[in-house]
Amino acid sequence: MFTKETVIGVIGSGAMGAGIAQVASAAGHPVVLYDTNEEALRKSKVNLEIALGKLVEKQKITGEQAAGMEARITYVGDLARFGNCGLVIEAIVENLDVKQSVFKQLETIVAPGCVLATNTSSLSIASIAAVCKESTRVVGIHFFNPAPVMPLVEIIPGILTAESIADSCFSLISSWGKVCVRAKDTPGFIVNRVARSYYGESIRISEEGIADFATIDWALKEFGGFKMGPFELMDFIGNDVNFKVTESVWEQFFYEPRFKPSLTQKRLYEARLFGRKSGRGYYVYGTTPEIPQPSKDPVLGKKVFQRVIAMLINEAIDSVYLKLASKEDIDLAMTKGVNYPNGLLKWGDELGLSEILETLTELYETYGEDRYRPCLLLKQMVKQKQNFYR
Ligand code: NAI
């Protein structure tokens, strides 16, 4: 269905769109990049030149390859230039009304059969496809930030999407050197859903006064091997972005208690303490970050890790149980999309599913809160002495 000659249209030349255009161009496709904002287009062109210049300097690509990549991207301020595209990837503002209106307009321009993809993080593919005449060609292609660096891409067929379209996109994006996983059209897809407990449970532990931010960050790095602790990571992502994703996943899951946002994060968001970008979040960022000394008590550290990892593994198991994706794809998504040191289901096998169940049961009985209820599949697997991979 797609070849190297397939013209790739990208809508929105912000952080994601510009990165996606770079990836498509690096794979040899002619790319048309559109934005309503001229300044955004100009900036993305300059940023690409700088990024490619650095790659040439580091001898990752040749000057000729860089020139080829730049030449293959055409920057346009008019959607009418998308007439010969074979695939269009939309990466504009995360607003359903705006996205729906762009998709409607797009269908009056592109040829029948041109695949229409959205890079949305939190809207459903079904709600975007619903306004299209040829809704079978609308699919989710969810890149991670920065798109040229992060290997993972989630491919999401909506309820109206033709399976063959999702398959073709999977093959195409894989051929671009990305690791593709397939996910059901559910809130947060794989990564943004499963990762919620990393933040949520850590905040909860700090709210209860069990450990401070620095100690929790230390515990997850020391005992879990995570590259960044949850509070450092939230400050890095931005507490505005992270809070909005949490709120959206919670609301879209009909207020499922496991995804409930915390007041701690909401207050940071309201106070505009977004993290690194605003100079203060959970930590203060001057010329160097001011990170207080963690307590480094191994008993406490292991307890913190045990609680957070049990919640993460429970979420991954629930995703298998509800057929969100295959177990392999769930593990790949977390290692390639957010750099987890291990796939959560594989980790569950290694730590012992019965231990995970024990931790969750204890939390559930202690707190009496629904957020700690162990997934039915976990209970069944422990009962039958099963593992995910061995
Ligand atoms: P951004 O704010 O950096 O860029 C959006 C661009 O779209 C802007 O340049 C804006 O001028 C342009 N735009 C807005 N309305 C438009 C319209 N009607 N037609 C054409 N261009 C229009 O946003 P970002 O971060 O690149 O996000 C884009 C999409 O990607 C969103 O759906 C977001 O949820 C998703 N996403 C974002 C990630 C991130 O970490 N930033 C990660 C994965 C997905």
Side-chain angles (χ1 to χ4, degrees):
M1 177 174 197
F2 300 116
T3 65
K4 279 271 182 291
E5 284 71 47
T6 301
V7 179
I8 311 292
V10 180
I11 310 183
S13 67
M16 294 309 293
I20 295 167
Q22 181 182 335
V23 172
S25 161
H29 293 273
V31 177
V32 187
L33 179 56
Y34 161 73
D35 204 293
T36 41
N37 181 336
E38 251 179 58
E39 180 57 18
L41 277 177
R42 198 195 58 78
K43 256 197 193 156
S44 61
K45 191 167 194 279
V46 172
N47 289 343
L48 179 69
E49 277 165 23
I50 296 171
L52 294 182
K54 282 188 187 151
L55 290 178
V56 173
E57 229 171 73
K58 288 187 195 156
Q59 300 189 330
K60 295 253 164 84
I61 56 172
T62 64
E64 207 176 312
Q65 283 169 324
M69 278 170 68
E70 283 176 48
R72 278 192 292 276
I73 305 180
T74 312
Y75 297 80
V76 302
D78 184 2
L79 201 57
R81 302 277 295 272
F82 275 45
N84 60 348
C85 289
L87 166 66
V88 177
I89 305 175
E90 166 277 314
I92 63 167
V93 56
E94 189 76 339
N95 175 306
L96 182 60
D97 290 341
V98 182
K99 287 199 197 276
Q100 283 179 331
S101 110
V102 165
F103 273 74
K104 275 195 221 167
Q105 195 192 346
L106 196 56
E107 272 203 313
T108 65
I109 294 161
V110 298
C114 166
V115 175
L116 308 183
T118 173
N119 186 50
T120 182
S121 298
S122 64
L123 303 168
S124 78
I125 310 308
S127 64
I128 296 170
V131 298
C132 293
K133 289 201 183 88
E134 208 183 315
S135 48
T136 52
R137 61 170 157 174
V138 179
V139 65
I141 300 185
H142 185 227
F143 286 83
F144 288 75
N145 192 11
V149 178
M150 296 306 289
L152 188 75
V153 177
E154 295 175 325
I155 306 288
I156 310 115
I159 194 168
L160 301 166
T161 313
E163 281 297 313
S164 59
I165 297 284
D167 290 343
S168 303
C169 291
F170 193 102
S171 308
L172 176 74
I173 309 290
S174 302
S175 78
W176 293 358
K178 294 294 181 188
V179 175
C180 290
V181 293
R182 215 179 158 102
K184 242 192 190 173
D185 185 13
T186 52
F189 311 129
I190 304 175
V191 171
N192 282 336
R193 168 192 185 157
V194 175
R196 298 266 62 78
S197 333
Y198 191 58
Y199 316 111
E201 198 54 24
S202 301
I203 298 174
R204 175 67 189 257
I205 291 169
S206 80
E207 281 175 344
E208 286 183 31
I210 295 171
D212 57 25
F213 307 144
T215 301
I216 298 170
D217 276 349
W218 165 79
L220 284 150
K221 288 188 284 187
E222 179 74 16
F223 298 103
F226 286 92
K227 291 206 175 69
M228 284 175 100
F231 296 99
E232 291 173 273
L233 187 53
M234 284 186 279
D235 273 357
F236 182 77
I237 295 168
N239 289 306
D240 48 345
V241 175
N242 197 278
F243 175 66
K244 283 289 159 196
V245 175
T246 307
E247 193 177 45
S248 157
V249 169
W250 175 59
E251 284 171 3
Q252 291 189 72
F253 269 111
F254 309 112
Y255 307 102
E256 161 61 55
R258 282 204 315 273
F259 302 122
K260 193 170 155 186
S262 74
L263 283 175
T264 299
Q265 196 176 34
K266 184 158 193 254
R267 292 292 177 267
L268 284 185
Y269 167 71
E270 289 167 343
R272 306 183 71 79
L273 300 178
F274 297 153
R276 277 181 184 267
K277 63 184 171 190
S278 71
R280 184 175 154 195
Y282 291 101
Y283 301 115
V284 175
Y285 301 88
T287 34
T288 51
E290 292 168 34
I291 313 280
Q293 275 302 312
S295 98
K296 293 201 178 177
D297 167 356
V299 177
L300 173 62
K302 277 183 194 153
K303 213 173 128 191
V304 166
F305 165 64
Q306 221 176 11
R307 183 162 159 178
V308 175
I309 198 70
M311 292 295 275
L312 278 168
I313 291 172
N314 196 41
E315 201 53 57
I317 297 178
D318 204 54
S319 302
V320 175
Y321 182 56
L322 296 176
K323 315 270 183 284
L324 169 64
S326 70
K327 60 184 181 190
E328 291 83 5
D329 277 4
I330 291 170
D331 276 356
L332 258 185
M334 303 315 286
T335 51
K336 301 292 181 190
V338 269
N339 283 327
Y340 280 15
N342 203 348
L344 290 170
L345 301 163
K346 188 165 162 274
W347 217 341
D349 283 353
E350 286 166 13
L351 294 171
L353 293 182
S354 57
E355 307 285 319
I356 302 298
L357 178 59
E358 207 174 293
T359 304
L360 289 166
T361 307
E362 199 187 315
L363 287 166
Y364 189 52
E365 283 169 2
T366 306
Y367 291 100
E369 286 178 50
D370 216 26
R371 70 191 256 119
Y372 296 114
R373 69 185 188 280
C375 169
L376 180 59
L377 178 61
L378 171 61
K379 291 201 263 188
Q380 288 170 340
M381 289 180 71
V382 169
K383 202 168 173 190
Q384 291 160 14
K385 297 191 166 42
Q386 287 174 336
N387 280 309
F388 283 98
Y389 296 98
R390 37 185 191 160

